[in-house]
Amino acid sequence: MGSAISLRTDFDGARLRLLARQAKDANQARRLLALASIYDGGSRSDAARLGSVTLQIVRDWVVRFNARGPDGLINGKAPGKSSLLNDTQRAALAQAIERGPTPYLDGVVRWRLCDLGQWLWEEFRVSVSEQTLGRELRSMGYRKLSARPRHHAQEADAAETFKKTSPPQWQKSPRVLPEAG
């Protein structure tokens, strides 16, 4: 059985309790109080009982605290999956969108997500689904714009003829003159 990992020497129990009182995150405060009990000479088992966790988790807290200080005890957001496109690919994609497609080279007159996905494959050999590509473009500041659909044989004058017009809701009351009495 190995020895316990020692805590940093630039902190003490009183300072950790002060930091726990000032902490906005309840989990961080609980972890700081558990580590303060270790600084004060308590065992790791006592710290685990105080923090309502196992010894392994107390060990993880000590490692995080030693590496990053009190901020290391705040729960961080998981990094998630990394992006399929790197910065140079994103810059080339943005340049291609701004330039627009060349019909005789790209075979399209306007970019669709499936066309951009095909362009990415031909340029960089990166396969990106339409949904992921749409999310990536949205994060780059692009929005999908489409014109309102119109029938090709629609006449503008005919539309005015068939528009429904309603009588006005408010009508002026007739003016009644007061009777002379």
Side-chain angles (χ1 to χ4, degrees):
M1 194 162 148
S3 62
I5 299 172
S6 59
L7 285 165
R8 296 169 63 150
T9 56
D10 54 340
F11 286 93
D12 60 353
R15 186 162 173 210
L16 286 187
R17 276 197 261 324
L18 175 68
L19 289 172
R21 276 194 299 275
Q22 296 170 347
K24 303 276 188 229
D25 185 16
N27 288 326
Q28 181 193 23
R30 179 173 53 98
R31 293 168 188 150
L32 286 168
L33 290 174
L35 294 182
S37 73
I38 295 172
Y39 271 117
D40 292 340
S43 68
R44 307 277 168 129
S45 298
D46 293 340
R49 211 171 299 112
L50 182 65
S52 300
V53 294
T54 63
L55 281 172
Q56 177 63 44
I57 293 178
V58 170
R59 181 192 176 282
D60 294 342
W61 291 350
V62 169
V63 169
R64 286 169 45 191
F65 178 74
N66 285 342
R68 295 184 306 231
D71 292 336
L73 298 176
I74 298 174
N75 285 346
K77 186 174 183 257
K81 186 179 177 188
S82 61
S83 177
L84 291 173
L85 302 177
N86 59 31
D87 292 335
T88 57
Q89 292 167 340
R90 271 192 217 94
L93 179 62
Q95 188 178 23
I97 291 171
E98 294 295 329
R99 185 181 62 238
T102 308
Y104 66 90
L105 289 177
D106 300 316
V108 295
V109 293
R110 67 178 177 91
W111 287 126
R112 297 176 300 172
L113 288 177
C114 61
D115 301 325
L116 288 171
Q118 182 66 32
W119 181 85
L120 280 171
W121 175 255
E122 291 168 359
E123 287 289 318
F124 302 107
R125 292 289 184 230
V126 175
S127 179
V128 182
S129 70
E130 290 182 32
Q131 184 176 9
T132 304
L133 185 57
R135 212 176 305 124
E136 194 76 38
L137 289 173
R138 189 140 175 104
S139 71
M140 291 169 56
Y142 290 101
R143 300 291 181 261
K144 179 183 176 190
L145 299 176
S146 60
R148 185 169 182 211
R150 282 189 47 197
H151 192 272
H152 62 88
Q154 179 179 359
E155 295 179 25
D157 297 333
E160 290 297 323
T161 307
F162 290 102
K163 264 190 185 173
K164 294 181 182 176
T165 56
S166 302
Q169 295 286 14
W170 297 93
Q171 295 178 355
K172 193 171 186 180
S173 307
R175 187 164 184 200
V176 178
L177 296 174
E179 292 181 25

